[in-house]
Structure formats: C-alpha cells, structure tokens
Amino acid sequence: MTDVTSLDTSPAADNVKAQLTAPTIHYSVAMPHPESHLFEVTLRVQGWSEPVLDLKMPVWTPGSYLVREYARHLQDFSSRSGARALPWRKQSKNHWQIETNSVSDVTVFYRIFANELTVRTNHLDSTHGYFNPAALCFFVPGFERNSYTVTVVPPQPEWRTVTTLPPVCGQDMTFAAADFDTLVDSPFEIGCHDAYDFEVMGKPHQLVVWGKGNFEPERAILDIQKVIEVEAQMFGGLPYDRYVFLLHLSGSGFGGLEHKDSCTLNYSRFGFRAKEKYERFIQLVAHEFFHLWNVKRIRPKALEVFDYEQENYTPSLWFCEGTTSYYDLVIPFRAGIYNVKGYFQNLAKEITRLQTTPGRKVQPASESSWDAWIKLYRRDANSDNSQISYYLKGEVVSFLLDLLIRAKHGNARSLDDVMRLMWQQFGNGQAAENTDFDQKSGTEAKPAHLTSNGKLNSHSLPTEIGFTPEQLQSAIESVAGIDLSDFFARYVDGTEELPYDKYLQPFGLQILVDETDASPRIGWTLGAENGRQTVKFVEAGSPAQLAGIDAGDELLAIAGFRVNAEQASERLKDYQPGDTIEVTVFHQDELRTCRVTLATSRPTRYSIVPVDRPTAIQKQNFMGWLGVPLSNL
C-alpha cells in the first residue's frame, strides 16, 4: 500500500508521470484496393496498462459545425494482442471498449468506407486517397494530448503523400502529430497529384492539385501569392513555417476547410475560365487562408478545447465565418484581383442575397451561430423562411461595422484594427493589458510577438486563448471608441433591418433598389427535377402559401395552360397585382387547382451607387477607405 502523503503532486511530477505511463499510439493507413473505397486502418497501442482500452471516434470536425457521425462509415472492427483475439463491445455509437486484461500491446483493425468527396470527409478511388483524421482515426480518452504517429501504405509505389505533419526520421511514409488536435488538423492527400512549390515572405508554400480541368496553376499561384501577402501584411507576418493548399477539382463541388498550416479546397473542374468563376475561386482561397488567423488561432472560448463527441455551442460564428466572408471580398480587391467596381458588385450580391431571404426577419445572427448544428447544414423546405446564414448576415454586419469605425475616425481606424487587436489578445495569447487600444492616438501597444521590423517572432508565440462574446464586443468597441450595445442588440442579437444608407452616406454611397421587374408576386421558387416542374420553396405568407401550394408540388398549368419553370415568370407578366389566377398542381399525386391572388412585386436586386452630388468630405472618406476616387465607381 502506498503512503499517499509521501507522493509528489506537483505539476512537474504529473508531467513526468504522464510521460512514463503514456502509451505509444500508432496508425497504419493502407488502401490495397482503392477502387473499393475502403481504407484499411491498423491502430497499435503499446505500453497499455489498464484492464480496458476505450476508443472513441469524433462525431464532427472543427470548422464544419455539424455532427456527421463519422463512425457510420466504420466496418470490420477487430482487436488482438499478438495472435490472441481480445474481446470488445460497443458502448455507444462512437465508443468501442476492448478488454485487454492488462496486456500492454493492443492491435485494432478496421475499415473506413470513403466515397464522399468533400473537404471534411474521406475519399478513396483508383486515382487518389484523401482523408481527414477526424473521420478516420480513434482517440484514446485521457490521452488526447499524447503524440500520435501515422504510417501511410499506398497501393502503388508512385503514389506520394502530402500532409503538414512532420515526417518521422528513419521511418518511411510515417508522420508525427504532437497530439490528437494536431492530428485532426492535418489532412492527408495520397496519389499522383500535381504539386507546385512557391515562396512568400521567405516561407515555403505548396499547391497540390488532384483532378483534371481548366485550372491554370501559374496564373493561380501568382494571385494566391498576392492574397497571402495582403493578409500577412494585415496581421504582421505569417504564423507558420510551411503552408499547403490542397485543391480537389470535382464535377460540381464547392467548399473549403481551414487548418492551421493548410486548407482543403473543392472547386468545379471547369470553373476557372470565366472571370466571375475564377474570382470566386480566389475568394475561396482568401476565405480559407484568412481562417488561419480567424478561427484557427482566434477562436471562441467554446472552441478553445474541442469536444469531439458532441456539439460545441457558440453565438460567435457570425464573426468567425461572417467576418471572414467579408474579408474574402476585401482581400482580392486589395490584392488587385478585381477593381473597385468588381468589389462593389460582389458586395451588392451579398446584400441582395440577405435582403431576399425572408428568414432574416426571424433569426438573429447570434442565434444562427448557436443553431448551426441543427439548421445551416440541414436545410428543408422552410429554411429560407425561418433562418439566415451566419456567414451571410455576419458578412454584411461586418461590412457595416467597418464603415462605422472608419466614418467615426476618418479612416484612421477600421475593422482591420479589430482583427489585429483580437489577434494580439487571443490568437497570440497576449494579456489584454499589454494590448490596450490607445483611444487617443488610435494605435495599439506593440505586442511581444512582433520584432522591431514588424515581423512575427515565432519563438515568443504563446498559447491561444478563447474569447467570450462579451470580449469580442468589447474589442470592437475599443477600436470604434463608442458603446455598441444598441448596434449588437439590433443587428447581431436582433432582427431589425440593417440601415445601409446610414453607414454608406459618409462615403458618398447609397443603396439602389431595382424595382424594374413589373411581374406580380406569387412567392414561390421553381425548378426542374427529373423532367418535372417542381415547387422548390414557398415564402411564408405569400399568395402561393395562402392558396395552399406547398414545396414539392409539381406545377402543371397556369390559367389552364401547361407551363414549365422557365416560362412561369414570363406568364405572370400578363397579370396585375390583385388578379386571381388558377394554378394547377399535383400535390402528393393528387390533382389540385388553386386560386391564387397575386401580390405586388418585391425588389430582387440591390446595388451600391454614389449619391447625387457627393460632398468633398464624402469623396475624401471614400478615397481614404478604398484608395481610389469615388468617380471610379
């Protein structure tokens, strides 16, 4: 029996004990038959000393806020020690428990089906293998901070592996993660991809491209370099030693997932020729790269320590994703990818999307953030009536905050200063008292992570700390120099319409509402589906809903004449608001003719345009904001 009074319980002793008792955890990921879409995973745990070994698989991955139940793709689970089988049982959907009987060497084998080509899942076929460790690997509860190693066993000798994890010296195709968080944050691409190396600010970068299409790497790399330089200048340097862009060219995919030292991008293989589509790709790059600061290092308190087994709730995704979305429009403009007209066209599209979504009047941005887990990625026929994307609302709110700060301080301060302050206080773990924003001078105290020439001092980077919603608001207020409680109550935590002209006016701008569409309003969205003309969405309180038309109905005729989705809008122009027409549909295979009383049309397009006869101050503010004359717009 040990005398507990004689134990050394100091933190140093705990660390030594953890190092002595921690098992070694090693994964081997093979893909002998890639056409089967099955990764074959062997997990070996050595140095185990407990009677049972618990293994748990994440149910979600950071950056994508939905419980995706990765364990549903697992099959053929078995466990052994040497040649001896070890009994096991499932304790829950993602929890396996193995009876080790105190054996120290445990081997677990299982397969993962991987045929979902997204940035957050796994994909394996005859051309490549891609996996996110959260969707492939177990963690050992209590040992999440233990190191993990991964050996990749490709099916062909010419297949290469790309990951940001460092290779293990002397072990072929083996990589080490300092802890489970780092493992989850490090996707793997295996295959015969194209790889392009380039340098920005003295640091190595790599663009890895899988798939075929009309992608032009030389052109894209030049623009990606510009994006990196603009964002690095904003934050004072690059907080990594090496960065990798993984690009998957797919049939019609779109998406991105951020990591600390890399990002995965999915884009349509033929989406690079048209100017608008290419600019959208650069915006995607700018968005995911901006995340290496905002979200990966500057993140809410609720995401400071990840709980991989359940939802991690925060009301601040409007800032994490929405503010990042605002900057993915700003950065390409600053990088010269498009001009000021292009910038305002992109802003206007986002305002139009927001103003034509009825759910903006129902769900606040903070609630949208909180309910991301059950709403944003689980859309239904009523989604546009009941919710708003925290990406979209947060983006437009961030735009107005930027204008508010700039107008109050004559462009001497902006939302850029908010991002830098958040970076200093939370992304770099700097104490708040060392980064107070000087209200008088408009400057912030020089943080310890910057050297005398303004570059990042990587040797003095402390651990990131999460921010609370109150700390976020306080940081914005400290830069703005005013109390923003009313602004947050109305536009972040409330559903009041955004007062665009109030914040645009100091810069000589206004919102122009396009009311040229004279068609009366019926309140539906139509689309073709398997040769059927289908009602996709019905606006709450609209003439279509009041007449009993539902999403999913098959449209047959208007006023007794057959009509398709493309013809319907044109056909309605023959009528006036207040007219009653007959609409014939199949409702759950039942033929119905509904009497619909048409309503007055609503705006479908919003633009940002100069005011009539702008003043000298307005012109000066515009120039100070964007660096070009207002007349250029």
Side-chain angles (χ1 to χ4, degrees):
M1 182 174 179
T2 303
D3 181 1
V4 295
T5 60
S6 66
L7 288 176
D8 184 352
T9 59
S10 67
D14 288 341
N15 289 337
V16 171
K17 181 181 177 182
Q19 292 173 6
L20 292 175
T21 60
T24 61
I25 305 173
H26 177 76
Y27 279 96
S28 176
V29 182
M31 50 214 87
H33 306 290
E35 65 281 353
S36 71
H37 310 298
L38 290 170
F39 283 108
E40 297 192 352
V41 186
T42 302
L43 165 61
R44 188 173 184 185
V45 180
Q46 295 176 284
W48 190 250
S49 58
E50 301 296 327
V52 296
L53 171 62
D54 290 292
L55 298 175
K56 294 187 175 182
M57 179 163 282
V59 302
W60 72 289
T61 191
S64 183
Y65 307 100
L66 177 68
V67 171
R68 297 186 183 276
E69 311 293 17
Y70 291 127
R72 66 192 172 96
H73 295 301
L74 188 147
Q75 65 186 62
D76 305 322
F77 185 96
S78 64
S79 59
R80 59 184 171 83
S81 180
R84 171 187 162 199
L86 296 176
W88 59 273
R89 68 180 63 86
K90 283 195 75 171
Q91 299 291 77
S92 69
K93 62 183 181 181
N94 68 318
H95 180 187
W96 282 252
Q97 191 173 76
I98 302 168
E99 296 180 18
T100 63
N101 297 317
S102 299
V103 299
S104 63
D105 194 341
V106 180
T107 300
V108 175
F109 176 84
Y110 58 95
R111 293 184 175 91
I112 294 289
F113 184 70
N115 195 27
E116 186 177 355
L117 182 58
T118 74
V119 297
R120 56 192 172 264
T121 51
N122 308 318
H123 189 252
L124 175 64
D125 64 13
S126 59
T127 66
H128 86 137
Y130 170 79
F131 67 86
N132 282 287
L136 189 92
C137 297
F138 288 109
F139 64 89
V140 181
F143 294 95
E144 292 91 335
R145 299 201 175 193
N146 201 62
S147 62
Y148 288 70
T149 55
V150 180
T151 297
V152 174
V153 184
Q156 306 293 339
E158 62 269 21
W159 280 32
R160 307 181 305 277
T161 298
V162 172
T163 180
T164 55
L165 292 178
V168 176
C169 184
Q171 298 184 43
D172 190 37
M173 300 288 279
T174 299
F175 307 88
D179 49 39
F180 191 71
D181 285 344
T182 304
L183 178 63
V184 165
D185 202 36
S186 308
F188 284 71
E189 174 67 31
I190 308 109
C192 296
H193 42 256
D194 295 320
Y196 306 91
D197 296 310
F198 59 98
E199 189 175 285
V200 181
M201 299 177 67
K203 293 191 175 183
H205 296 71
Q206 190 173 54
L207 171 63
V208 174
V209 183
W210 169 81
K212 304 298 181 183
N214 60 6
F215 181 69
E216 299 177 15
E218 293 81 6
R219 175 192 181 191
I221 288 172
L222 288 175
D223 288 335
I224 291 171
Q225 286 176 309
K226 296 174 185 176
V227 167
I228 294 172
E229 289 168 353
V230 168
E231 296 191 18
Q233 182 180 17
M234 179 174 167
F235 286 99
L238 297 171
Y240 52 76
D241 294 322
R242 171 177 172 258
Y243 193 90
V244 176
F245 296 89
L246 298 177
L247 172 59
H248 293 156
L249 302 180
S250 60
S252 58
F254 178 86
L257 187 63
E258 68 275 6
H259 303 282
K260 275 195 169 182
D261 300 320
S262 67
C263 65
T264 303
L265 310 168
N266 189 321
Y267 205 73
S268 175
R269 66 176 77 252
F270 295 115
F272 301 93
R273 190 80 65 200
K275 181 177 183 292
E276 182 176 327
K277 292 181 179 179
Y278 177 76
E279 289 175 355
R280 190 178 185 220
F281 169 71
I282 296 299
Q283 289 167 1
L284 177 63
V285 171
H287 184 102
E288 301 308 329
F289 193 74
F290 198 86
H291 270 322
L292 75 88
W293 288 280
N294 195 23
V295 172
K296 294 312 299 183
R297 291 170 173 85
I298 308 168
R299 60 181 184 265
K301 194 73 175 177
L303 301 176
E304 183 178 270
V305 178
F306 298 119
D307 183 344
Y308 292 106
E309 295 193 76
Q310 62 184 349
E311 295 88 343
N312 294 211
Y313 292 103
T314 173
S316 301
L317 293 181
W318 72 267
F319 174 78
C320 301
E321 293 291 354
T323 301
T324 300
S325 294
Y326 171 56
Y327 275 103
D328 76 36
L329 302 184
V330 173
I331 299 300
F333 166 69
R334 293 181 182 175
I337 308 301
Y338 44 67
N339 61 20
V340 70
K341 288 184 179 180
Y343 173 54
F344 277 104
Q345 286 169 358
N346 284 304
L347 277 172
K349 288 178 185 177
E350 301 305 274
I351 292 172
T352 297
R353 285 178 55 214
L354 177 62
Q355 293 304 122
T356 54
T357 302
R360 77 186 186 280
K361 298 181 179 180
V362 177
Q363 187 183 50
S366 56
E367 182 185 299
S368 174
S369 302
W370 190 270
D371 284 345
W373 302 92
I374 59 173
K375 290 194 174 183
L376 184 69
Y377 298 100
R378 289 176 171 162
R379 291 181 56 78
D380 57 36
N382 194 50
S383 290
D384 282 345
N385 285 324
S386 63
Q387 67 184 73
I388 194 67
S389 165
Y390 51 82
Y391 283 84
L392 180 59
K393 183 67 177 288
E395 174 182 17
V396 181
V397 166
S398 298
F399 170 51
L400 298 189
L401 281 171
D402 194 14
L403 295 182
L404 180 156
I405 296 169
R406 289 177 178 277
K408 180 170 176 56
H409 297 282
N411 285 307
R413 301 184 195 175
S414 70
L415 196 62
D416 292 9
D417 294 297
V418 173
M419 297 310 306
R420 283 190 282 266
L421 186 59
M422 293 294 289
W423 170 237
Q424 293 157 15
Q425 290 188 353
F426 302 103
N428 268 328
Q430 299 292 319
E433 58 266 27
N434 292 334
T435 56
D436 282 344
F437 200 95
D438 189 328
Q439 300 282 352
K440 295 180 180 179
S441 67
T443 61
E444 63 272 1
K446 188 173 182 58
H449 70 283
L450 295 184
T451 62
S452 58
N453 62 359
K455 301 300 182 182
L456 277 170
N457 181 357
S458 60
H459 299 294
S460 65
L461 291 177
T463 305
E464 307 104 18
I465 57 175
F467 62 84
T468 65
E470 295 76 18
Q471 288 171 320
L472 171 60
Q473 181 176 332
S474 177
I476 299 173
E477 288 176 337
S478 70
V479 174
I482 58 172
D483 183 350
L484 292 173
S485 298
D486 185 64
F487 183 98
F488 272 74
R490 290 171 181 262
Y491 312 127
V492 176
D493 301 319
T495 57
E496 287 193 31
E497 291 282 34
L498 299 178
Y500 297 103
D501 286 348
K502 173 182 177 181
Y503 295 104
L504 288 168
Q505 189 273 338
F507 300 89
L509 300 170
Q510 62 184 337
I511 289 290
L512 176 66
V513 180
D514 186 350
E515 299 178 342
T516 57
D517 184 2
S519 300
R521 183 172 63 91
I522 193 168
W524 63 19
T525 301
L526 304 174
E529 183 178 293
N530 299 322
R532 301 164 64 242
Q533 310 305 310
T534 305
V535 179
K536 298 293 187 180
F537 168 71
V538 177
E539 183 180 342
S542 67
Q545 187 186 64
L546 295 175
I549 297 173
D550 283 345
D553 288 354
E554 180 183 357
L555 175 63
L556 299 176
I558 291 178
F561 291 92
R562 185 170 60 183
V563 67
N564 61 34
E566 294 181 356
Q567 297 168 339
S569 179
E570 191 68 25
R571 188 75 60 82
L572 290 176
K573 292 180 180 180
D574 293 334
Y575 302 94
Q576 299 296 320
D579 289 350
T580 299
I581 62 174
E582 291 186 341
V583 177
T584 305
V585 300
F586 272 129
H587 177 78
Q588 297 180 1
D589 295 332
E590 178 186 352
L591 185 66
R592 285 185 179 179
T593 296
C594 306
R595 290 180 61 80
V596 182
T597 301
L598 301 175
T600 303
S601 62
R602 288 181 179 171
T604 57
R605 184 170 177 269
Y606 294 75
S607 302
I608 304 174
V609 299
V611 299
D612 295 332
R613 296 185 294 278
T615 67
I617 294 296
Q618 289 174 321
K619 293 178 182 179
Q620 179 180 326
N621 286 343
F622 186 91
M623 172 67 82
W625 171 25
L626 296 170
V628 297
L630 179 57
S631 58
N632 282 19
L633 188 59

